[in-house]
Amino acid sequence: MKKAKNLIDLRSDAVAKPCVNMLAGMMAAEVGDDQYQDDRETNLLQEEIAQELGKESALWVPSGTMANQIALRVATNPGDDVIVSTQSHAVWHEAGAGAANASVQFTEIGSAGRFAASDFEDAIKPRNHHIYPPTTMVQVENTHNRCGGGVFDFEVLIAICDLAKSAGVFSYLDGARLWNAAIFGGQSVAALAAPFDAVMVSMSKGLGAPGGSVLAGNADFIQSAIRQRRMLGGAMRQTGYYAAAGRFALKNNIARLFEDHAHAGQMARLVNESQYIELDVSSVCTNIVVFKLNEWAISAFSLVAALKEHGVLVNALDNRTIRLVSHLGVDEKDCIFAANAVVRLVEEMSANTASL
């Protein structure tokens, strides 16, 4: 059994810790008070992200969830309808914040975390109707967390945003892992962000920064976002320490994301060898592997507990679903060890359960 200090953590790509050089950059950051816009590192990061995404302006916020909440509060009104993909982060991983903070409802469409423009068109609810809640935002999650890091087809993104524009619906891109999507599709993040009115990217998802996300859009949107950030408690002071980490990540940790994709693909192929696991290996395109345990297998929660005892940390999404996430904090050897542990334990424990 591996000792606790050697745990292989595949629960998320946000668990990776800053490297020595990133920490040095944070220590050397020239900081000020961001509420007065005096923090040099934060100002530079915002400018760099806006330029990289091809947007007019950008705003640092503490987390991706806060970025998503700010976008809702800026672009919608209480009682509005927001269209999202099935199993979206907005519905499953934000603790009901959309209802509590923006008083909106969500309509989930499509399958496997993606949807077509025709799905979107069918789901749009008209404005000024005395029964229907008006659809005022469409949100795309690219890559898609719960659905195995899936990536939207570029032409589909354009069609969705064109339809949104013609329908007067605000288009928002939850791009927490947008660089993963760009690397997979061979496009720039600017190209992926271009059709949308606003976009969020995360500095901690796969890039190794200890926190922080950045919202980008036109100047009016960002001005409204500044006030909403304050209202949600996200206006901080010397944010430059986080911003310096983000700037280091932009320069040093993006090109290597293809390694995470390769490790995820390798894990997918290995775990798929188990008779108790259901997985379409071809669906694994970035750094997230989501697989199902079939009806003859042990529960996902039992497997999570057993893996922890053997030095591997993973997440169960429900009683039958496991998620593995590769990142810069684990190498090829770690990922192979973890995948083999999954297969060994699920085979042994499921066989023992069946024999009872």
Side-chain angles (χ1 to χ4, degrees):
M1 182 184 300
K2 294 173 73 69
K3 295 181 180 179
K5 67 177 181 179
N6 294 322
L7 284 173
I8 297 170
D9 196 343
L10 301 176
R11 291 173 297 177
S12 172
D13 46 4
V15 302
K17 296 178 175 61
C19 66
V20 172
N21 290 334
M22 180 182 284
L23 289 171
M26 294 170 69
M27 290 289 289
E30 184 180 331
V31 300
D33 191 324
D34 184 51
Q35 291 195 41
Y36 293 111
Q37 299 181 329
D38 288 341
D39 191 286
R40 179 179 180 274
E41 292 288 345
T42 301
N43 293 339
L44 288 172
L45 176 64
Q46 290 169 167
E47 292 169 5
E48 289 165 3
I49 291 291
Q51 182 175 7
E52 180 130 357
L53 296 178
K55 300 300 182 186
E56 190 175 7
S57 191
L59 178 69
W60 183 93
V61 298
S63 72
T65 293
M66 184 177 286
N68 291 346
Q69 295 306 305
I70 289 171
L72 288 173
R73 287 168 64 105
V74 171
T76 70
N77 293 305
D80 284 359
D81 175 63
V82 177
I83 293 177
V84 297
S85 59
T86 53
Q87 298 196 63
S88 72
H89 193 279
V91 173
W92 284 83
H93 292 285
E94 297 182 11
N101 293 322
S103 299
V104 296
Q105 72 170 34
F106 294 103
T107 297
E108 293 182 279
I109 63 173
S111 61
R114 280 155 282 188
F115 57 88
S118 57
D119 299 321
F120 172 38
E121 185 173 26
D122 291 343
I124 294 175
K125 301 170 184 65
R127 297 172 185 265
N128 303 316
H129 194 281
H130 68 285
I131 295 176
Y132 299 140
T135 298
T136 55
M137 177 186 281
V138 59
Q139 187 178 121
V140 168
E141 186 180 336
N142 195 28
T143 70
H144 195 289
N145 178 5
R146 289 181 65 91
C147 293
V151 178
F152 271 76
D153 181 82
F154 184 57
E155 297 303 320
V156 172
L157 294 179
I158 294 174
I160 289 170
C161 291
D162 285 347
L163 178 58
K165 185 176 182 179
S166 65
V169 174
F170 191 89
S171 57
Y172 177 70
L173 175 58
D174 178 347
R177 297 178 175 89
L178 193 60
W179 281 282
N180 293 91
I183 286 175
F184 173 77
Q187 290 145 330
S188 68
V189 287
L192 295 178
F196 291 88
D197 293 315
V199 56
M200 176 272 287
V201 291
S202 173
M203 299 291 98
S204 62
K205 299 294 193 305
L207 300 187
S213 291
V214 183
L215 264 174
N218 66 32
D220 289 341
F221 173 82
I222 294 301
Q223 279 303 307
S224 297
I226 291 171
R227 180 169 184 261
Q228 295 299 330
R229 181 182 68 174
R230 177 75 180 188
M231 292 176 72
L232 291 172
M236 297 169 62
R237 301 294 179 175
Q238 289 78 32
T239 55
Y241 296 112
Y242 283 101
R247 295 186 68 213
F248 178 92
L250 289 179
K251 295 175 183 176
N252 298 280
N253 292 344
I254 290 176
R256 59 150 309 281
L257 287 174
F258 79 92
E259 297 176 26
D260 298 340
H261 297 184
H263 294 160
Q266 190 169 26
M267 287 194 293
R269 291 187 291 273
L270 289 171
V271 301
N272 198 45
E273 294 177 0
S274 172
Q275 62 182 317
Y276 297 104
I277 288 175
E278 298 174 357
L279 171 64
D280 177 5
V281 174
S282 66
S283 70
V284 179
C285 27
T286 55
N287 68 320
I288 301 176
V289 180
V290 174
F291 63 83
K292 291 281 187 181
L293 295 166
N294 65 29
E295 60 184 308
W296 300 283
I298 56 170
S299 74
F301 299 113
S302 296
L303 181 57
V304 168
L307 284 167
K308 184 176 181 180
E309 290 298 312
H310 287 76
V312 179
L313 299 179
V314 303
N315 271 337
L317 300 184
D318 59 40
N319 194 44
R320 288 283 143 202
T321 310
I322 294 284
R323 187 187 72 170
L324 315 174
V325 186
S326 57
H327 52 82
L328 54 77
V330 292
D331 58 20
E332 182 181 20
K333 186 183 298 184
D334 292 329
C335 292
I336 292 173
F337 178 94
N340 287 334
V342 167
V343 172
R344 184 178 73 256
L345 290 171
V346 76
E347 292 282 332
E348 292 175 357
M349 296 173 70
S350 299
N352 290 339
T353 300
S355 66
L356 296 179

